[in-house]
Amino acid sequence: MAPKSIAVITTSTRTPRVGPNISSLVLSLLEPAVSNGDTDKNITLHHVDLATFGLPIFDESKIPATVTDGATAYEHEHSRKWSAEIASHDGYILLVPEYNYGMAASTKNAIDYLYNEWKGKPVGVISYGIMGGNTAREQVRKSLGGVGLKLTTTEVQLAFPGGGQGEDFKHSMFTGGLTDATKAEWEGKGEEVRKMLGEIVEELQKDLGLDGVKKGE
């Protein structure tokens, strides 16, 4: 059976941004589950950085729900590349920032660009912010459910030590880096992060028989 691909997606695009460093941390927390076989499944992890796709506010003439082949139906190269990337993965973990008590425009735009590429696949959401990005996470989960993704019950929030007035948050906001204190605290979320991955893998296996072949094939 071919490995199942799980994409860890950085959805922030502004600079400076801490998103890529958080994704690296999350991947490091997930890696033991993959390399040690804790998930008991054949999976691969991939980092996807939304900023590299340069998506403008949605500019296609076709409604995403009507597009079944993004490689030929989308007009613009950025849309085709984003479609191909998302279609190539079997499940997702979205890393979402909270700006001004809500999800980032880049996150919402990236979700709304596609439909059939997302539909039916499992997804988990990890949010970060002064208070852990709770509002953004709930908004993102509702949007993902609206395009037909299967959400994990496990939710992960990453709050900066000291809140909005702490040096850890200020360091991340102005430099895009993570302090040692932030890393140490968030590494304590490893069990929750791996539990989320386990739910995604379990969902991917539901339609597979004992021989690893999808039922009905």
Side-chain angles (χ1 to χ4, degrees), residues 185-201:
E185 183 161 322
W186 290 359
E187 283 170 352
K189 298 280 189 176
E191 185 174 343
E192 294 175 51
V193 173
R194 289 186 287 273
K195 182 179 179 182
M196 176 179 287
L197 176 64
E199 286 188 42
I200 291 172
V201 173

Side-chain angles (χ1 to χ4, degrees), residues 64-67 74 111-120 146-148:
T66 67
V67 176
Y74 286 122
I111 295 170
D112 291 346
Y113 247 86
L114 308 174
Y115 182 79
N116 288 303
E117 296 88 340
W118 297 116
K119 189 176 180 182
V147 293

